Amino acid sequence: MAVRVIATTPFNDQKPGTSGLRKKVPVFRQPHYLENFVQAIFDVIAAPPGSALALGGDGRFYNREAIQVILKMAAANGFGRVLVGQGGILSTPAASHVIRKYGLFGGLVLSASHNPGGPEGDFGIKYNIGNGGPAPEKVTEAVFARSKDLAEYRILEAADVSLDQIGETRLGDMLVQVIDPVADYADLMESLFDFGAVRELLKTGFRMRFDAMHAVTGPYAREIFEGRLGAPAGTVVNGIPLPDFGGGHPDPNLTYAHDLVAEMFGPDAPDFGAASDGDGDRNMILGKRFFVNPSDSLALIAANATLAPGYAGGLAGIARSMPTSAAADRVARKLGIPCFETPTGWKFFGNLMDAGQVTVCGEESFGTSSSHVREKDGLWAVLFWLNIVAKRRQPVEDIVRAHWAEYGRNFYSRHDYEALPTEAANGLMQHLKDSFPSLPGKTFGRYSVKVCDDFAYTDPIDGSVSRNQGLRVLFEDGSRIVFRLSGTGTEGATLRVYLESYEPNPSQHGLDAQAALGELIAIAGLLSGLKARTGREAPTVIT
Ligand code: G1P
Ligand code: ZN
């Protein structure tokens, strides 16, 4: 088997975003496109000869083809071993766990997360480092720089490797190990949570539904819920991963997980509902006719953490992304532990967890996890909730309401305006920035502006600075509006408007979030000139 060195010319758009490089499938299928990016990664990480990698993806269209290319390139670039999930499948948290458990040099995760798949859909690739987490910015920036001056890539001339049987194959000098993608992960979950208590709960007639959205968590959820926890067959719906996710948008929120939402708010609703996204790192938690806001979910998990055996010793600290509500901060204060505020994206949590400063982390974007891996973890959050319900023996809604009564409620919502013309979105952000010096001290209805800034973060562990992480309008009473452009979209620009207000008074906690935030929503429109600048009357998605 010969190593071929292929001459290539750089693409100028291989800049990794919030979570790896995401592009439409036809972009990735251009000759040399995938190869160039993978070579740029291999050049930057400079793994010692014989190093081992994890490789797998969410099963979306182009997953298998990309895996074959990457295997042959890994062999030609001196890797000694690659662990691939059977069928090319590895959820993002499972990949993170495999890297950590087997002490691998790193891993490549093929996914565009919650973005739709199929021949015209999205594809993505992300490099994770040896701690199991997404590569930090200095690595992704170096990869981008390398991609711009790449002249050749290396690939082994060889037949495709079968991915469907567990076992080992040689590819040149490299060993390909096809592994069970589920077993290690399911064992990890069983070590963290009280499976016995959840099993008992399920025997009492407690009914749950898990919607895998035809994405990667299907096999994991079947093994864990229907296998190890004894939930009845059919508890997991849409459990077979499909290359196009059955035509759906595998994003677990009130808009895209509509079938689950309809069932959970319907006449014969189960007690508990949950869903995960394309690559298994997001989660949505629902009680009977009740939606748990992801920011609240983080706070509740933190407040109840010691109910789960894996967290019985308490938490070292909590971290949340800046746009995530401050509900978790209140819990941290009560527990007497630190709460860190990081930029959007999981990569910022890695250093804090590696340094032992943080145990649980979360983002408002339906992402929650802990230091058991270095990614967010959808099924972990679902199991944590089941563990809490099994121990407290209360409905989800009652648990959340009791939390609000104790800590106050952080009303929270995110309004997304998707596929905006890039110029309009950039213009809106610039306009806001320009207006910032004049806003402090001004009053809008019952809100007075205290401070406006462009969020910047200095990593407390390595001192690296990340700027331009979102425009914040902070009000005197702790309420805030944050404007941010998405770093994961593949079509035009997506504007995210994050809205938060704090309500200590329990008699107001029953309000609908959109109603409670109505005045802030209007102020956001006024400050940004949103309607005039984008022509949009309403958000594309409200979460
Ligand atoms: C979005 C979310 C962010 C999350 C990322 C990857 O990024 O907002 O919290 O980490 O997806 O799942 P964005 O599109 O906002 O850059
Ligand atoms: Zn995801």
Side-chain angles (χ1 to χ4, degrees), residues 161-445:
V161 176
S162 163
L163 302 174
D164 295 313
Q165 303 303 324
I166 290 174
E168 299 184 348
T169 324
R170 290 218 79 86
L171 191 59
D173 293 333
M174 189 180 85
L175 188 65
V176 177
Q177 292 181 300
V178 176
I179 59 168
D180 179 336
V182 174
D184 288 326
Y185 177 82
D187 290 349
L188 175 65
M189 294 300 115
E190 199 159 356
S191 75
L192 297 173
F193 299 113
D194 191 338
F195 273 35
V198 178
R199 235 178 265 127
E200 288 307 311
L201 174 74
L202 289 163
K203 278 189 199 146
T204 62
F206 179 91
R207 287 191 302 136
M208 72 169 280
R209 178 76 68 240
F210 179 82
D211 190 342
M213 303 189 86
H214 286 303
V216 78
T217 48
Y220 296 84
R222 283 223 173 112
E223 165 65 15
I224 293 172
F225 299 128
E226 298 180 9
R228 301 190 185 199
L229 291 170
T235 295
V236 176
V237 294
N238 301 322
I240 298 174
L242 298 176
D244 66 348
F245 308 116
H249 195 133
D251 201 359
N253 60 39
L254 294 174
T255 303
Y256 293 126
H258 32 73
D259 293 354
L260 176 71
V261 172
E263 188 178 3
M264 292 305 299
F265 284 82
D268 186 32
D271 302 288
F272 184 85
S276 189
D277 72 328
D279 60 331
D281 59 358
R282 295 187 174 198
N283 72 88
M284 177 169 67
I285 305 292
L286 299 167
K288 197 190 279 272
R289 290 183 273 283
F290 189 79
F291 166 69
V292 183
N293 182 285
S295 293
D296 282 341
S297 177
L298 171 65
L300 271 129
I301 283 175
N304 292 278
T306 53
L307 296 178
Y311 305 85
L315 308 177
I318 305 173
R320 62 164 175 86
S321 67
M322 179 273 283
T324 303
S325 97
D329 304 38
R330 296 175 187 282
V331 175
R333 216 170 297 140
K334 186 149 194 176
L335 294 175
I337 57 175
C339 186
F340 297 86
E341 185 177 37
T342 61
T344 297
W346 211 260
K347 55 180 176 261
F348 295 99
F349 296 136
N351 277 350
L352 294 166
M353 290 192 276
D354 286 353
Q357 304 220 10
V358 151
T359 312
V360 300
C361 317
E363 294 194 277
E364 49 65 41
S365 53
F366 298 79
T368 340
S369 189
S370 84
S371 50
H372 68 291
V373 288
R374 290 292 182 276
E375 288 280 4
K376 54 190 180 235
D377 189 343
L379 286 169
W380 173 91
V382 176
L383 287 164
F384 217 132
W385 269 95
L386 285 172
N387 191 141
I388 292 170
V389 172
K391 289 286 188 187
R392 291 184 54 150
R393 291 292 167 119
Q394 284 173 293
V396 170
E397 177 169 356
D398 293 6
I399 295 174
V400 177
R401 290 196 186 282
H403 184 92
W404 291 339
E406 184 175 350
Y407 292 92
R409 178 171 179 188
N410 287 69
F411 280 105
Y412 189 82
S413 184
R414 181 175 109 183
H415 290 195
D416 291 339
Y417 296 82
E418 295 177 344
L420 294 176
T422 308
E423 268 177 31
N426 288 340
L428 180 149
M429 293 296 277
Q430 191 56 47
H431 161 74
L432 276 166
K433 240 183 186 170
D434 293 344
S435 72
F436 272 11
S438 67
L439 290 181
K442 279 199 180 144
T443 296
F444 301 88

Side-chain angles (χ1 to χ4, degrees), residues 19 22 58 92 111-115 250 277-282 376:
S19 188
R22 289 195 192 161
D58 61 12
T92 290
S111 168
S113 189
H114 48 286
N115 296 2
D277 72 328
D279 60 331
D281 59 358
R282 295 187 174 198
K376 54 190 180 235

